[in-house]
Amino acid sequence: MPSEIRLHVHELLLSADASRAADGRVSLSLESADPRLFESASSSSPLSLSSEGRVSVEWGRRIELFPGGRALDALSSALASHAREDSDIYLSVRAESGAPIGEAFVNLEEILAQGKDMTRESVKLLGRDDKVVGRLTAVSYTHLTLPTTPYV
């Protein structure tokens, strides 16, 4: 079985202002600094927010890390980089119109350094000027297993 990274969002909660800006429907997407990490587009279907700006969702992405594969090469490059943000995975929230609502991130280098899966975490969702506009509740980064081949 190949090594893999799993990133899942279980719940989204937006501030009242962000919820109004979203006009009741949003979509989630995952992006990284290196497009090789995701072989194809990674966006959710449109999600309907409750009147409180909340939506429960089981959405995420599994990235398989095969020796010699593009995703493992991208992860290896990110971890070897001196710029820590090269190993960030961005979780973006957009209104159905496509307007950006906010963005959160997880750092794969940090997860590896801790040596354990991080589950049931809450990650701040930042909007313009890094203002907190909500949170991705219970974002989990699970099944991060190291490949048997060296990264560098």
Side-chain angles (χ1 to χ4, degrees):
M1 178 175 167
S3 296
E4 64 185 13
I5 300 169
R6 289 183 188 240
L7 300 162
H8 290 275
V9 177
H10 299 286
E11 186 178 53
L12 168 67
L13 177 63
L14 295 179
S15 67
D17 288 342
S19 185
R20 275 191 296 281
D23 201 23
R25 290 177 60 84
V26 296
S27 63
L28 306 173
S29 65
L30 288 172
E31 301 165 12
S32 69
D34 190 328
R36 296 177 300 165
L37 197 56
F38 297 108
E39 295 288 330
S40 59
S42 186
S43 296
S44 72
S45 301
L47 305 165
S48 295
L49 297 168
S50 71
S51 58
E52 297 86 30
R54 181 183 309 263
V55 63
S56 292
V57 59
E58 292 297 324
W59 177 82
R61 185 70 189 260
R62 184 173 130 218
I63 305 166
E64 292 185 324
L65 303 171
F66 292 103
R70 290 170 41 136
L72 182 56
D73 288 348
L75 178 60
S76 298
S77 295
L79 295 174
S81 170
H82 294 291
R84 190 171 176 90
E85 63 272 7
D86 285 349
S87 64
D88 286 348
I89 300 293
Y90 299 95
L91 301 122
S92 299
V93 178
R94 293 188 172 275
E96 192 171 31
S97 67
I101 300 298
E103 186 173 79
F105 75 93
V106 296
N107 182 276
L108 296 178
E109 185 175 344
E110 198 173 291
I111 293 169
L112 283 170
Q114 291 179 3
K116 63 178 183 171
D117 291 339
M118 299 171 63
T119 58
R120 301 293 174 190
E121 298 286 330
S122 211
V123 180
K124 291 178 186 174
L125 188 66
L126 303 176
R128 288 193 182 134
D129 301 321
D130 290 333
K131 179 182 174 186
V132 176
V133 296
R135 68 177 187 258
L136 296 167
T137 310
V139 175
S140 56
Y141 338 106
T142 60
H143 305 290
L144 178 55
T145 54
L146 296 174
T148 55
T149 56
Y151 284 121
V152 203

